[in-house]
Amino acid sequence: MIMRIARINVEKESIEYEEIAKDSKFYLLGARGLTSQVVYDEVPPQCDPLGEENKLIIANGLLAGSPFPNSGRTSVGAKSPLTKGIKEANVGGRPAMMLAFHGLRALVLERKSSTLKLILIDNNSISLKDCKQYGGLGNYELHSKLRKEYGENIGIYSIGPAGEYLMKAASIAANDLEGYPSRHAGRGGLGAVMGSKGIKAIVIIPSSSSKVLINDIKKFRELSKPFAQKLVETKKNFSIYGTPNMVRGMSVLGGLPTKNFRMGSYDKAIEISGEKLHELVIARKGKKQVSCSPSCVIKCSNIILDKDGNHLTSSFEYETIFANGSNLLIDNIDHVAKIDHLCDDAGIDTIEFGVTMGVAMDNEKVSWGDAEKVFDILREIKKGSELGQLYGNGVCHLGEKLKAKRIPHVKGQGISGYEPRVFKAMSVTFATSPMGADHTSGAAIAGRTANKGKDYGELTEDKGKLELSYELQVYTTILDSMGCCYFIGPSYENMELITGVLNAMYNVNLNIEDVLNIGKEILKTEIKFNEKAGITQQMNEFPSFFRDEQSNPLDLTITFPKEDFKNFWRRLEE
Ligand code: SF4
């Protein structure tokens, strides 16, 4: 079956289908590759991100619906209301694979509806329905009502009230395999774009059969099965402890952002660590080693219960813990988990929110460590009050209102949980990614390399880090376009594997250079859109305090010449 793109005019409620035949420019563009191409081709770069000219594209990857491990992610793309540039945020959960089974590669939401609507996808059709009864609902209540109405096994993308109120830090939720709205395309305020279209939710009824075609299934399995087995064996520890396991290590390395990036180590890191979380999960009979999407074999996710055994949150991740724990000096893991739940419910990015609160505390609007006040603010976001608007529109919005001197962002997006003065390759990714400060664009975490045997220098020295970030960003763009979770590894050897599975699935004859060029062309497209939107290479830079103020305790600053960031993407032309 040929995959299709469904263009949904939400105003007229009309649907047009576009087949992705072998001669289509989208044939080898999935997920991020497809969302970025549609934004580049069809969204006027200077348009209002919340206006009718912007488009919201929801796409699965080239390997979606196949048994390739961890290939069930969705990319969401649009012009971002937060960065004003191109944005792709990807998310796990059920729905990506369900779209693929329906023969759908992407949904393109066009224009604006003046009333709140829901998009329903079933075996035969796509339709829109008025849904004002769901207006103002948090994601948890919404998902529960949708499951009651349409069945337990549906896939859902949705927004919380933050998206309806067009808050620039609003996220799009996807339901996980346990049924919770815990997976979020968080970054860049894409929930506000969905809200601006008037769409509260997209509901996918399970397909009666899969329409995914793998041309050479034998070859495909020969390549993907041993890889899946290798992931299971090598990621055992990661599977048990998940990303929160990084909290203590990052603090020891001096790179855990603490107290609005004033420190890189937190003396109470143990209280919010992966080890602490693990103890709680075991004691309260929560769940570890949970897959967030159907083909995941790594299973790094979790379900967290409160002390009374009730569900508190799911998919509780390192980035949420840094942003709302060490960054705010909140040392109670239950409080941080509750913040995660409230963010998921209101539909707000946990990273952007935590970084925003860090600036609020740094400017004495809220006391350090005051979790109760943070809960209150999240309730205000859910209500859409004036106070909620102040905190729900991203760190730059609040920082500018407060005339704050230290606003940790790049291109308008809050910096995530890796102190850039310490982790040099991550700093390059934050500075140069077309997506703003986004670790997922090229996550140079401690110990990660891109090419085996290549010398990228020590973690905290500049040597080799421009190269490392560049290679990781290209490889990650390719994984994003496959719909793969980057925890499978953005490495050269995995690019060789991807080349093989693409050839088997799509009956093409690519070599690794062809695949690398797909990634490079996607990045070029994103950079070209940004240039036209006014997000230039001059903006590849940190706020000055990262160069002027030494990190604590390692006394490091950003030392790359500004020109290195500005000229970074010239590598794409070499
Ligand atoms: S490894 Fe973790 S984030 Fe990646 S798909 Fe699996 S559960 Fe989701």
Side-chain angles (χ1 to χ4, degrees), residues 70 73 183 290-293 296 298-301 485 487:
N70 295 43
R73 291 184 79 80
R183 306 306 302 194
V290 174
S291 304
C292 80
S293 53
C296 170
I298 298 176
K299 308 182 183 191
C300 78
S301 200
C485 167
F487 292 151

Side-chain angles (χ1 to χ4, degrees), residues 101-269:
F101 283 4
H102 278 293
L104 290 166
R105 169 71 72 237
L107 310 173
V108 181
L109 275 53
E110 303 178 335
R111 312 293 290 180
K112 287 174 91 161
S113 162
S114 53
T115 56
L116 199 61
K117 288 177 184 160
L118 172 153
I119 296 172
L120 183 65
I121 299 172
D122 65 20
N123 273 321
N124 307 310
S125 66
I126 298 178
S127 56
L128 287 94
K129 295 179 180 309
D130 281 328
C131 71
K132 71 171 184 298
Q133 72 276 22
Y134 296 141
L137 289 190
N139 279 311
Y140 273 89
E141 189 179 354
L142 173 71
H143 282 225
S144 149
K145 289 193 168 179
L146 289 173
R147 285 203 311 275
K148 223 171 253 166
E149 190 167 348
Y150 296 103
E152 282 302 316
N153 296 324
I154 56 174
I156 306 171
Y157 299 108
S158 68
I159 55 171
E164 288 182 63
Y165 298 129
L166 309 184
M167 292 185 189
K168 293 184 184 122
S171 61
I172 296 177
N175 58 340
D176 62 25
L177 297 184
E178 315 281 328
Y180 296 112
S182 69
R183 306 306 302 194
H184 287 249
R187 312 245 58 200
L190 299 179
V193 180
M194 187 156 156
S196 75
K197 303 281 166 221
I199 300 301
K200 179 73 176 168
I202 299 169
V203 173
I204 307 160
I205 308 289
S207 163
S208 46
S209 61
S210 168
K211 297 198 167 60
V212 176
L213 177 72
I214 299 173
N215 273 288
D216 185 344
I217 186 70
K218 188 165 169 276
K219 181 78 195 162
F220 191 95
R221 284 213 174 101
E222 268 170 29
L223 292 168
S224 66
K225 215 171 160 190
F227 181 59
Q229 276 159 355
K230 186 174 129 196
L231 288 174
V232 171
E233 282 156 23
T234 55
K235 303 273 183 181
K236 261 190 193 131
N237 215 35
F238 182 54
S239 171
I240 294 168
Y241 293 98
T243 58
N245 202 30
M246 288 197 292
V247 173
R248 225 151 61 96
M250 297 295 278
S251 186
V252 170
L253 291 169
L256 176 71
T258 300
K259 207 179 180 190
N260 191 32
F261 290 78
R262 287 188 181 274
M263 300 183 295
S265 295
Y266 185 32
D267 57 356
K268 306 224 177 101

